[in-house]
Amino acid sequence: MIILLLIFLIAFFIGASLASFAGCVAWRFANNVPQTIPRSFCENCRHELCFWQLIPVVGYLLQGGRCAFCKHKIPGHETLIEIVFGLFCGKIFLLHPDSPNLLTLFLSAWLLFLAWTDALKFCVPAASLYGGGAVLLLCRIDALAQRNAIDWCFFLLLFCLMRLFEQKQMFGAADTFVCLILSVLFGIQNFCFLLLLSCCLIILHYAFFHQKMLPFIPFILCSYLFFGCFFPQVINV
Protein backbone atom coordinates (compact mmCIF):
# COMPACT_ATOMS: atom_id res chain seq x y z
CA MET A 1 0.00 0.00 0.00
CA ILE A 2 2.84 2.41 0.79
CA ILE A 3 4.45 1.75 -2.59
CA LEU A 4 1.13 2.28 -4.39
CA LEU A 5 0.59 5.50 -2.47
CA LEU A 6 4.04 6.74 -3.45
CA ILE A 7 3.37 5.83 -7.09
CA PHE A 8 0.08 7.70 -6.96
CA LEU A 9 1.63 10.80 -5.37
CA ILE A 10 4.45 10.87 -7.93
CA ALA A 11 1.98 10.39 -10.78
CA PHE A 12 -0.29 13.08 -9.31
CA PHE A 13 2.60 15.54 -9.19
CA ILE A 14 3.57 14.70 -12.77
CA GLY A 15 0.01 15.21 -13.96
CA ALA A 16 -0.46 18.44 -12.03
CA SER A 17 2.87 19.74 -13.32
CA LEU A 18 1.89 18.94 -16.91
CA ALA A 19 -1.39 20.79 -16.40
CA SER A 20 0.40 23.78 -14.87
CA PHE A 21 2.90 23.86 -17.74
CA ALA A 22 0.15 23.52 -20.35
CA GLY A 23 -1.76 26.39 -18.76
CA CYS A 24 1.32 28.61 -18.72
CA VAL A 25 2.20 27.89 -22.36
CA ALA A 26 -1.42 28.32 -23.46
CA TRP A 27 -1.73 31.67 -21.67
CA ARG A 28 1.52 32.93 -23.23
CA PHE A 29 0.34 31.82 -26.67
CA ALA A 30 -3.06 33.50 -26.24
CA ASN A 31 -1.47 36.76 -25.03
CA ASN A 32 1.45 36.81 -27.50
CA VAL A 33 4.06 36.51 -24.74
CA PRO A 34 7.37 34.74 -25.60
CA GLN A 35 7.49 31.19 -24.29
CA THR A 36 11.01 31.34 -22.86
CA ILE A 37 11.33 34.86 -21.42
CA PRO A 38 10.49 36.37 -19.05
CA ARG A 39 10.17 33.91 -16.20
CA SER A 40 6.73 33.01 -14.88
CA PHE A 41 5.04 36.06 -13.40
CA CYS A 42 1.79 37.23 -11.84
CA GLU A 43 -0.70 38.09 -14.59
CA ASN A 44 -1.85 41.14 -12.61
CA CYS A 45 1.27 42.82 -11.16
CA ARG A 46 3.83 41.14 -13.48
CA HIS A 47 6.09 40.33 -10.51
CA GLU A 48 8.26 37.26 -11.12
CA LEU A 49 7.13 34.27 -9.08
CA CYS A 50 9.29 32.43 -6.56
CA PHE A 51 9.95 28.72 -7.00
CA TRP A 52 7.51 27.70 -4.25
CA GLN A 53 4.72 29.66 -5.92
CA LEU A 54 5.15 27.56 -9.05
CA ILE A 55 4.54 24.23 -7.28
CA PRO A 56 1.23 22.90 -8.65
CA VAL A 57 -1.68 23.06 -6.17
CA VAL A 58 0.70 23.63 -3.22
CA GLY A 59 1.69 27.08 -4.43
CA TYR A 60 -1.97 28.10 -4.68
CA LEU A 61 -2.74 26.84 -1.17
CA LEU A 62 0.32 28.47 0.40
CA GLN A 63 -0.71 31.82 -1.06
CA GLY A 64 -4.30 31.44 0.09
CA GLY A 65 -5.56 31.75 -3.46
CA ARG A 66 -4.06 35.24 -3.88
CA CYS A 67 -0.81 36.61 -5.28
CA ALA A 68 1.76 36.98 -2.49
CA PHE A 69 2.81 40.35 -3.92
CA CYS A 70 -0.30 42.22 -5.07
CA LYS A 71 -2.97 40.09 -3.31
CA HIS A 72 -4.85 39.71 -6.57
CA LYS A 73 -7.09 36.64 -6.64
CA ILE A 74 -5.60 33.70 -8.53
CA PRO A 75 -8.12 31.96 -10.82
CA GLY A 76 -9.24 28.84 -8.96
CA HIS A 77 -10.14 26.92 -12.11
CA GLU A 78 -6.45 26.59 -12.99
CA THR A 79 -5.73 24.79 -9.72
CA LEU A 80 -8.87 22.68 -10.19
CA ILE A 81 -7.58 21.57 -13.59
CA GLU A 82 -4.23 20.69 -12.01
CA ILE A 83 -6.00 18.56 -9.39
CA VAL A 84 -8.23 16.79 -11.91
CA PHE A 85 -5.36 16.08 -14.28
CA GLY A 86 -3.18 14.95 -11.39
CA LEU A 87 -5.86 12.49 -10.24
CA PHE A 88 -6.31 11.29 -13.81
CA CYS A 89 -2.60 10.61 -14.24
CA GLY A 90 -2.50 8.96 -10.84
CA LYS A 91 -5.11 6.49 -11.99
CA ILE A 92 -3.19 5.79 -15.21
CA PHE A 93 -0.08 4.85 -13.22
CA LEU A 94 -2.04 2.82 -10.66
CA LEU A 95 -3.67 0.70 -13.37
CA HIS A 96 -0.25 -0.28 -14.73
CA PRO A 97 2.39 0.57 -12.09
CA ASP A 98 5.05 -1.60 -13.77
CA SER A 99 4.56 -0.20 -17.28
CA PRO A 100 2.25 2.84 -17.31
CA ASN A 101 0.73 3.79 -20.64
CA LEU A 102 2.94 6.71 -21.59
CA LEU A 103 1.10 7.13 -24.89
CA THR A 104 -2.11 7.81 -22.97
CA LEU A 105 -0.22 10.34 -20.87
CA PHE A 106 1.06 12.07 -24.01
CA LEU A 107 -2.41 12.06 -25.56
CA SER A 108 -3.86 13.54 -22.37
CA ALA A 109 -1.27 16.33 -22.24
CA TRP A 110 -1.80 17.05 -25.96
CA LEU A 111 -5.55 17.35 -25.54
CA LEU A 112 -5.17 19.48 -22.42
CA PHE A 113 -2.89 21.99 -24.12
CA LEU A 114 -5.11 22.21 -27.20
CA ALA A 115 -8.22 22.60 -25.06
CA TRP A 116 -6.64 25.36 -22.98
CA THR A 117 -5.49 27.37 -25.98
CA ASP A 118 -8.82 26.82 -27.72
CA ALA A 119 -10.67 28.10 -24.66
CA LEU A 120 -8.48 31.20 -24.38
CA LYS A 121 -8.15 32.20 -28.03
CA PHE A 122 -10.48 29.99 -30.13
CA CYS A 123 -7.46 28.71 -32.03
CA VAL A 124 -4.52 26.38 -31.43
CA PRO A 125 -0.86 26.40 -32.55
CA ALA A 126 -0.59 24.50 -35.83
CA ALA A 127 2.77 22.97 -34.88
CA SER A 128 1.39 21.50 -31.66
CA LEU A 129 -1.82 20.33 -33.33
CA TYR A 130 -0.32 18.51 -36.30
CA GLY A 131 2.95 17.57 -34.61
CA GLY A 132 1.19 15.90 -31.69
CA GLY A 133 -1.26 14.15 -33.99
CA ALA A 134 1.57 12.81 -36.13
CA VAL A 135 3.37 11.42 -33.06
CA LEU A 136 0.20 9.67 -31.90
CA LEU A 137 -0.42 8.08 -35.31
CA LEU A 138 3.19 6.97 -35.65
CA CYS A 139 3.09 5.37 -32.20
CA ARG A 140 -0.11 3.52 -33.13
CA ILE A 141 0.62 2.72 -36.74
CA ASP A 142 -0.59 -0.79 -35.94
CA ALA A 143 -4.05 0.63 -35.22
CA LEU A 144 -4.19 2.02 -38.76
CA ALA A 145 -3.23 -1.36 -40.22
CA GLN A 146 -6.05 -3.09 -38.31
CA ARG A 147 -8.83 -0.84 -39.65
CA ASN A 148 -11.13 -2.44 -42.22
CA ALA A 149 -13.02 -0.92 -45.14
CA ILE A 150 -16.01 0.00 -42.95
CA ASP A 151 -13.75 1.93 -40.59
CA TRP A 152 -12.17 3.88 -43.44
CA CYS A 153 -15.60 4.69 -44.87
CA PHE A 154 -16.57 6.02 -41.46
CA PHE A 155 -13.44 8.15 -41.25
CA LEU A 156 -14.18 9.57 -44.71
CA LEU A 157 -17.80 10.29 -43.76
CA LEU A 158 -16.70 11.92 -40.53
CA PHE A 159 -14.20 14.09 -42.37
CA CYS A 160 -16.82 15.20 -44.90
CA LEU A 161 -19.33 16.03 -42.17
CA MET A 162 -16.80 17.98 -40.17
CA ARG A 163 -15.74 19.90 -43.26
CA LEU A 164 -19.37 20.74 -43.89
CA PHE A 165 -19.69 21.99 -40.32
CA GLU A 166 -16.55 24.05 -40.88
CA GLN A 167 -18.19 25.78 -43.84
CA LYS A 168 -21.22 26.50 -41.65
CA GLN A 169 -18.76 27.93 -39.07
CA MET A 170 -19.94 25.37 -36.52
CA PHE A 171 -16.53 23.73 -36.15
CA GLY A 172 -12.93 24.66 -36.84
CA ALA A 173 -10.18 22.85 -38.71
CA ALA A 174 -8.53 21.92 -35.40
CA ASP A 175 -11.78 20.30 -34.20
CA THR A 176 -11.90 18.19 -37.37
CA PHE A 177 -8.29 17.09 -37.01
CA VAL A 178 -8.64 16.18 -33.32
CA CYS A 179 -11.81 14.18 -33.98
CA LEU A 180 -10.16 12.25 -36.80
CA ILE A 181 -7.13 11.42 -34.63
CA LEU A 182 -9.31 10.23 -31.75
CA SER A 183 -11.55 8.16 -34.03
CA VAL A 184 -8.49 6.36 -35.41
CA LEU A 185 -7.02 5.76 -31.94
CA PHE A 186 -10.21 4.68 -30.15
CA GLY A 187 -12.19 3.07 -32.93
CA ILE A 188 -15.63 3.94 -34.29
CA GLN A 189 -17.82 2.85 -31.39
CA ASN A 190 -15.71 4.33 -28.60
CA PHE A 191 -15.25 7.59 -30.47
CA CYS A 192 -19.02 7.86 -30.96
CA PHE A 193 -19.46 7.59 -27.18
CA LEU A 194 -16.88 10.33 -26.72
CA LEU A 195 -18.48 12.57 -29.34
CA LEU A 196 -21.99 12.03 -27.96
CA LEU A 197 -20.97 13.04 -24.45
CA SER A 198 -19.09 16.08 -25.80
CA CYS A 199 -22.19 17.26 -27.66
CA CYS A 200 -24.36 16.72 -24.59
CA LEU A 201 -21.97 18.82 -22.50
CA ILE A 202 -22.11 21.61 -25.09
CA ILE A 203 -25.92 21.56 -25.00
CA LEU A 204 -25.92 21.73 -21.20
CA HIS A 205 -23.42 24.59 -21.23
CA TYR A 206 -25.53 26.52 -23.71
CA ALA A 207 -28.69 25.87 -21.69
CA PHE A 208 -27.15 27.41 -18.57
CA PHE A 209 -24.92 30.16 -19.99
CA HIS A 210 -26.46 30.90 -23.43
CA GLN A 211 -23.01 31.37 -24.94
CA LYS A 212 -23.33 31.11 -28.71
CA MET A 213 -19.66 30.76 -29.63
CA LEU A 214 -18.01 27.85 -27.84
CA PRO A 215 -14.64 26.10 -28.26
CA PHE A 216 -15.19 22.41 -28.94
CA ILE A 217 -11.91 20.83 -27.87
CA PRO A 218 -12.41 21.61 -24.13
CA PHE A 219 -15.63 19.57 -24.21
CA ILE A 220 -13.81 16.73 -25.92
CA LEU A 221 -11.23 16.87 -23.14
CA CYS A 222 -13.92 16.76 -20.44
CA SER A 223 -15.50 13.71 -22.07
CA TYR A 224 -12.09 12.09 -22.42
CA LEU A 225 -11.32 12.59 -18.73
CA PHE A 226 -14.76 11.27 -17.74
CA PHE A 227 -14.33 8.05 -19.69
CA GLY A 228 -10.73 7.78 -18.51
CA CYS A 229 -11.85 7.85 -14.88
CA PHE A 230 -14.97 5.67 -15.08
CA PHE A 231 -14.73 3.68 -18.33
CA PRO A 232 -11.02 3.49 -19.19
CA GLN A 233 -11.61 0.81 -21.82
CA VAL A 234 -13.17 3.48 -24.04
CA ILE A 235 -10.01 5.58 -24.29
CA ASN A 236 -7.49 2.77 -24.11
CA VAL A 237 -4.77 3.43 -26.68
Side-chain angles (χ1 to χ4, degrees), residues 103 106 130-140:
L103 184 60
F106 177 82
Y130 297 116
V135 170
L136 290 168
L137 291 181
L138 288 174
C139 291
R140 284 306 314 271

Side-chain angles (χ1 to χ4, degrees), residues 39-40 48-56 58-59 62-63 69:
R39 288 181 52 194
S40 296
E48 289 189 356
L49 302 180
C50 302
F51 77 93
W52 59 271
Q53 294 172 289
L54 298 175
I55 303 176
V58 176
L62 291 177
Q63 295 178 94
F69 306 108

Side-chain angles (χ1 to χ4, degrees), residues 6 13 24 27 31-32 38-39 46 61 63 85 120 129 133 145 157 159 161 164-166 199 211:
L6 288 175
F13 181 76
C24 176
W27 184 89
N31 291 274
N32 298 317
R39 288 181 52 194
R46 302 285 169 161
L61 296 176
Q63 295 178 94
F85 204 71
L120 291 176
L129 175 67
L157 177 60
F159 176 75
L161 287 175
L164 178 62
F165 290 149
E166 284 183 43
C199 293
Q211 184 179 349

Side-chain angles (χ1 to χ4, degrees), residues 7-221:
I7 292 175
F8 177 82
L9 290 177
I10 293 173
F12 177 88
F13 181 76
I14 292 174
S17 298
L18 285 175
S20 178
F21 177 75
C24 176
V25 175
W27 184 89
R28 286 174 178 256
F29 170 77
N31 291 274
N32 298 317
V33 177
Q35 296 293 345
T36 54
I37 54 174
R39 288 181 52 194
S40 296
F41 54 86
C42 172
E43 298 175 9
N44 183 62
C45 66
R46 302 285 169 161
H47 196 290
E48 289 189 356
L49 302 180
C50 302
F51 77 93
W52 59 271
Q53 294 172 289
L54 298 175
I55 303 176
V57 183
V58 176
Y60 178 86
L61 296 176
L62 291 177
Q63 295 178 94
R66 295 184 178 275
C67 174
F69 306 108
C70 65
K71 305 304 179 184
H72 185 265
K73 187 176 181 180
I74 303 173
H77 69 272
E78 297 179 1
T79 301
L80 179 61
I81 294 174
E82 293 174 1
I83 294 174
V84 171
F85 204 71
L87 293 173
F88 178 78
C89 290
K91 183 170 184 179
I92 291 177
F93 278 76
L94 283 181
L95 288 175
H96 305 283
D98 297 328
S99 57
N101 194 335
L102 298 181
L103 184 60
T104 299
L105 186 62
F106 177 82
L107 170 61
S108 306
W110 182 66
L111 282 177
L112 176 63
F113 173 69
L114 295 180
W116 214 316
T117 53
D118 194 22
L120 291 176
K121 202 174 181 179
F122 285 94
C123 68
V124 300
S128 301
L129 175 67
Y130 297 116
V135 170
L136 290 168
L137 291 181
L138 288 174
C139 291
R140 284 306 314 271
I141 195 69
D142 59 315
L144 293 174
Q146 294 173 1
R147 302 307 179 194
N148 54 37
I150 296 178
D151 291 333
W152 288 110
C153 289
F154 171 82
F155 298 146
L156 179 60
L157 177 60
L158 175 65
F159 176 75
C160 293
L161 287 175
M162 296 294 287
R163 290 292 295 176
L164 178 62
F165 290 149
E166 284 183 43
Q167 295 178 0
K168 300 288 186 179
Q169 296 184 345
M170 299 173 64
F171 285 98
D175 302 327
T176 299
F177 184 79
V178 169
C179 286
L180 287 174
I181 293 295
L182 296 183
S183 63
V184 171
L185 293 177
F186 301 152
I188 297 175
Q189 182 176 3
N190 291 339
F191 173 73
C192 287
F193 288 141
L194 190 72
L195 185 61
L196 177 61
L197 180 57
S198 302
C199 293
C200 290
L201 292 176
I202 287 181
I203 294 173
L204 287 175
H205 188 280
Y206 178 79
F208 282 100
F209 300 102
H210 303 287
Q211 184 179 349
K212 293 184 178 181
M213 189 174 180
L214 292 170
F216 187 56
I217 300 180
F219 293 96
I220 295 180
L221 174 66

